[in-house]
Amino acid sequence: MKKNSTKIIAFILIAIFISACNAVKRVPDGKKLLTKNNIIVNGKSSSDEIASNQMYQKPNGTLLGYKLRLNLYNLANLNPDSTYQAKFKNNPGKYERQAKILSAKQVDRLGQSFLYKGIHEFLKNTGEAPVIIDTAKTQKSLVRLKYYYFNNGFFNVKTDYTIDSISRKKAAVNYNITTGPGFIIDSIRTTISTPALDSLYKTSREPSLIKSGKQYKTSDLEEEKSRITTYFRNHGAYYFQPTYVSFNIDTIGKKNKADLNLIINNNTIQEKDSSRTEPFKLYKISDVNIYTDYSPTNAKSKITDSTTYNNFNLYSYKKLKYKPRAITDAIFVSKGSTFADFRTTLTSRYLNNLKIFNYPSIQYEIDKRDPTAQSLIANVYLTPRKKYSFGTSLDVTHSNIQEFGIGASISETIRNVFNRAETLEISTRLNIGSSKDMANPNNNFFNVSEYGVDLKLNFPRILLPFGTEKIIPKSMIPSTSITSGFTKQRNIGLDKENFTGGIAYNWSPKRNNTAKLDLLNVQFVRNLNPANYYRVYTSSYRELNSLASFYNNNPANLNENGDLIISEGTSGFTSDVTSGNTALTPNDPDFRTIESIEERRMRLTENDFILSTSYTFTKTTKKDLADNTFYQFKTKVESAGTLLTAFSNIASLPKNSRDNYELLNLEYSEYVKAEFDYIKHWDFGKEKVLAVRSFFGIAIPFGNSNYIPFSRSYYGGGSNDNRAWQPYSLGPGSTNAMNDFNEANMKIAFSAEFRFKIFGDVKGAIFADAGNIWNVLDNVIDEKAKFSNVNDLEEIALGTGFGLRYDLSFFVIRLDLGFKTHNPGRAADERWFREYNFGRSVLNFGINYPF
């Protein structure tokens, strides 16, 4: 019976698959399913993406060559209501029998259930109707193709199409394009009616986008229109618009060449039923009026408070709440300056960056006091946000340690704290989560918790005892933030308290560049439960316990099962070994292993005090969230402990028994650190994107330290790193992740991901992640964990795999399945593809794209 059931299920699945694979199932007789659009240019097939986008009809989408959505649509019953009613119409007694059991109302409702109707609606909406060739739409596509090639300089282009029948109900459309020779721009001249604009054009240092000898392209003319408009409007031409720029193209008497005449007409002024033209005027700013508490409700009210500061007029409908400089520093439109669009834009950016106003508005009007009518009054309307704002949030989180978490936060923002546009943010947060990496003897689902409070005071200027305008002008929108915070967390079993504080300066040297100088960044990490170390780092305990079975000679270190007692026995045995109270000597490999285990325990359980200075620079060409052709470069340089060592040397402070300086009885960290991160995206059209990322980071301890604090070290693996390994389970080097929570002070990483659309909001990806972590120039003694020379690059791990993404517009849910393709933790002749199977794969859950 079991075999028969299996055969029946298999038969049903095969039948469904065969019926779904009938791609022309819903193609009417006499019609053709569009299978392909072929663009043939001068007898050769073309893959021009832009040309393909001119089509009014495109074939049904595919997933790896399979028309999944079309076949899902073909599975659907397009008229489930009629089918359900027909079942009873053909057998009236059946309806009566069911009505006696369920009632007539329930029988009717059953026809609207998911089983009878909902599943078909789902298949219909998820699927895609067959694209049937429509010759009217084919003709429209042909016209668009003709315009496309004409606009690219092929003025004598000829087009037609043919339909090739592939089978009874399938066909491909061939678009045949004969371009003829492309026309080259020959001479270029200008006809500019307004003398002032003509003079501006001739003295412009900006290169024209139209050049003699270049093939004609309409897009070049449109970009030149935009360039000219921007240039003129940044030099006083307030009323100038792109519509005033036109081009006259002359091909008469020319063989495949065109003379171009750039024409800029005078300003057209509409007056009731008539219009007139006059030369454009170049305007200057005669006054700048700032309304500091404007709203539509008080627009007609009387001004009650006003002042003048540095040629700016500040008005308020109530008492003026801001010190004048706090506002005027954000205004780049100044009295006596020439009107310029870029000043308006820069002012809007700066005002928005203050975060104390809603939707600043800058409007201009003709100054009637000027008899030449060449002056503008700039009116800046500012609508203040509420001084106090309260916010709450509830988040579902995922991190490298925490598989699932729920976080809640409460925040209070106070604006204009000292009447100079400062903002103070006070926030508290609570997070509980689940982590399989944490020691969890009670097997509780929520075994991770964290709570904390943060304060951030932001100033819209550089706070220093000397002026910085020449180095960082206000056009770079500088700001200063002073922060402090406290968190207490129970995450990996040691439990920590974290105190932070600092002062940082931010500015934007260019539109898409940002710079940040953390002048002082203080962090104090206090481990609350260091005695729990070997319960968390179980692999270290197992190795130490194994060695104790051979070398321990103190019964007090063991429990009744003969295992080391945590933590009295582990510390006692380690102390016996390092002090020479066992048979081991410093030259024995097992002695060095125990020494290495103890070194790591001390490093991860010691409290850390870090006083650092860092500089971060970021450059990106990304324009907006929809931009998929861009690059981003980020670098960070950090130095810690140097100032403290300099002070200790000058003050001739004493050193401790380990020849290190202390601050408040705590050794501080001293190191230098550098990071380089580069991301590049290529858009191939049709929602196909190739994204790559490369990263290099190194932190070198010196002076007061011989290792890097855990919070500043690197790890490998995880949903945003090498996805074939779990977080902290890769490396260092070829050690095969012998420890729990493996980390090191140098990292190399490279990732590539090809993203594509599957259907609807479901996207797919194929990826490859390479990289590893190593120890270099620190106190780690394991040679397998060290990076000694370029030959160690053979220890770079490679993970490959595929993933699914679901786009929810405001964020993306991501699932990635990674396979260990090259595992440096194995023997040299067993590294490639030995773990390339589903049993050794790693499934990662992530939010948003990894890079």
Side-chain angles (χ1 to χ4, degrees), residues 51-67:
S52 297
N53 289 336
Q54 309 304 311
M55 305 300 177
Y56 277 92
Q57 281 190 307
K58 294 183 180 181
N60 291 97
T62 62
L63 174 62
L64 301 176
Y66 178 67
K67 296 182 183 295

Side-chain angles (χ1 to χ4, degrees), residues 777-796:
L777 300 175
D778 64 2
N779 64 345
V780 172
I781 61 176
D782 188 350
E783 292 297 326
K784 289 184 176 181
K786 292 183 178 181
F787 187 92
S788 303
N789 53 58
V790 293
N791 293 330
D792 288 326
L793 292 176
E794 295 176 355
E795 297 171 349
I796 286 180

Side-chain angles (χ1 to χ4, degrees), residues 69-92:
R69 295 187 66 197
L70 172 60
N71 289 319
L72 288 175
Y73 184 88
N74 287 338
L75 274 175
N77 184 344
L78 302 185
N79 297 293
D81 290 333
S82 300
T83 303
Y84 185 74
Q85 292 170 7
K87 181 173 69 171
F88 299 115
K89 190 175 183 180
N90 298 330
N91 190 353

